[in-house]
Amino acid sequence: MSPALRLGATGFALIAVCYGFARFAFGMFLPQIDGDLGLGPELGGVISGASFAAYCAAILASATLTERLGPRAVATAAALVAACGMAGIALAPSPALLAAAVIVAGSSTGLASPPMAAAVAAAVRAPRRDATNTTINAGTSAGVALSGPIALAMAGHWRMAFAAFAVVAGMVAVATALALPASRGGGPARGLPALSTGIRRLIAASFLMGAASTALWSFGGDLGARHFGWGPTGTAMLWSAIGAGGLAGAGAGRLVTRFGLDRIHRAFLVLMATGILAVGSGGAPPAMALAGGALFGAAYVMLTGVYLIWGLRALPDRPATGLMIGFLTIAIGQTMGAPLFGVLLGAFGAGAAVPAFAALALLAGLVPARGRALAAA
């Protein structure tokens, strides 16, 4: 098996577990968890935001540890942390312990991505790196898509679902330890890079997109329940639609090579805003809302692929750090966006919160990549 195929398959599974199960499945199960533990939209938003904050801290640590230790140890740790966090969610008897477990589970996503970027840079030939990286990144969609049928099979038992997710994460930890290269990093980590024009623009764009995305990642299930009376079945269908649409994000590398960063960036931000409005406005029929979920999923994964490539091209000699910058800023946007959306939803309703967050996605499209060289490289 070629290094690109081996790393692509392993990384795809790792990202599916950490992002699709440990991080984003919480929003799908939020209505059920709320019913059992009495969270409310404000506390639900705070818990979601805390999960994203844990991601921020973890991805900073992951980039540093990857440069020091190499990818295998850090990626394996990510899967193990995901397993522990999701086991904690399954067992949580109170909102406080649930919040702690969600934070642990969310931190696994920050650990997962930088070592995979470093492994690809070390083992995959340059012409195949963008495609391999964006294929790995699309594992988010597979995890989200699979979480929907699992939720249906569990018949609304969210604790059993997270217990099953934890078992899968343990299996992925073993596979990751066997598949990733054992080489160590290149010595002490070099700290944060200088803020070039390209990096500053990447930070601005990814922050706005991350904030906008929380409208569905954190509150998609709640919005479906409000507008359509969806229970666990309807919410699981929405998550499956989001995940299935997101599989298109595996093609981000090829689309960026053909059309450039700016064109793909703007086009999929428009699709993200459209998807948020279709799911959250309440004026569309349920089938249209599911289609909007698919649009949102495709846009989100495509855009994370865009920011991944943007960061790697800005820092080609430090792939873990280049990826970290864009993904960290997405998470900072999500950390701030989730509680803000919860407050707006509680105070003014979906009619105000949803259009405001769709507008954030469009605003990110005003930020260009740094010049023609980076946009078309």
Side-chain angles (χ1 to χ4, degrees), residues 24-25 27-32 140-141 143-149 151-152 213-246 274-281 284-298:
F24 290 129
M28 178 181 65
F29 288 103
L30 181 57
Q32 300 171 50
T140 298
S141 300
V144 172
L146 285 171
S147 66
L152 290 174
S213 72
T214 58
L216 295 193
W217 281 134
S218 295
F219 291 93
D222 186 273
L223 291 169
R226 287 169 181 257
H227 294 318
F228 309 110
W230 284 346
T233 299
T235 304
M237 290 175 62
L238 174 62
W239 243 245
S240 294
I242 291 173
T274 302
I276 291 171
L277 291 171
V279 175
S281 65
M288 188 70 71
L290 292 177
L295 279 180
F296 172 84

Side-chain angles (χ1 to χ4, degrees), residues 181-278:
S183 60
R184 297 178 63 85
R190 290 175 279 172
L192 295 176
L195 291 179
S196 65
T197 299
I199 290 176
R200 287 196 299 268
R201 291 176 176 177
L202 169 61
I203 289 170
S206 56
F207 174 85
L208 291 169
M209 189 281 281
S213 72
T214 58
L216 295 193
W217 281 134
S218 295
F219 291 93
D222 186 273
L223 291 169
R226 287 169 181 257
H227 294 318
F228 309 110
W230 284 346
T233 299
T235 304
M237 290 175 62
L238 174 62
W239 243 245
S240 294
I242 291 173
L247 292 173
R254 289 180 287 274
L255 287 177
V256 167
T257 297
R258 182 171 181 180
F259 297 107
L261 280 170
D262 282 328
R263 289 182 181 178
I264 299 304
H265 184 218
R266 288 192 292 264
F268 281 89
L269 285 166
V270 171
L271 290 181
M272 170 175 277
T274 302
I276 291 171
L277 291 171

Side-chain angles (χ1 to χ4, degrees), residues 124-149:
V124 177
R125 292 184 295 108
R128 301 193 64 181
R129 286 176 189 164
D130 282 352
T132 302
N133 276 314
T134 54
T135 296
I136 290 171
N137 187 57
T140 298
S141 300
V144 172
L146 285 171
S147 66

Side-chain angles (χ1 to χ4, degrees), residues 63-94:
T64 300
L65 291 171
T66 298
E67 289 183 351
R68 290 180 176 177
L69 304 176
R72 177 190 286 181
V74 181
T76 303
L80 292 174
V81 169
C84 292
M86 290 187 288
I89 293 172
L91 297 172
S94 67

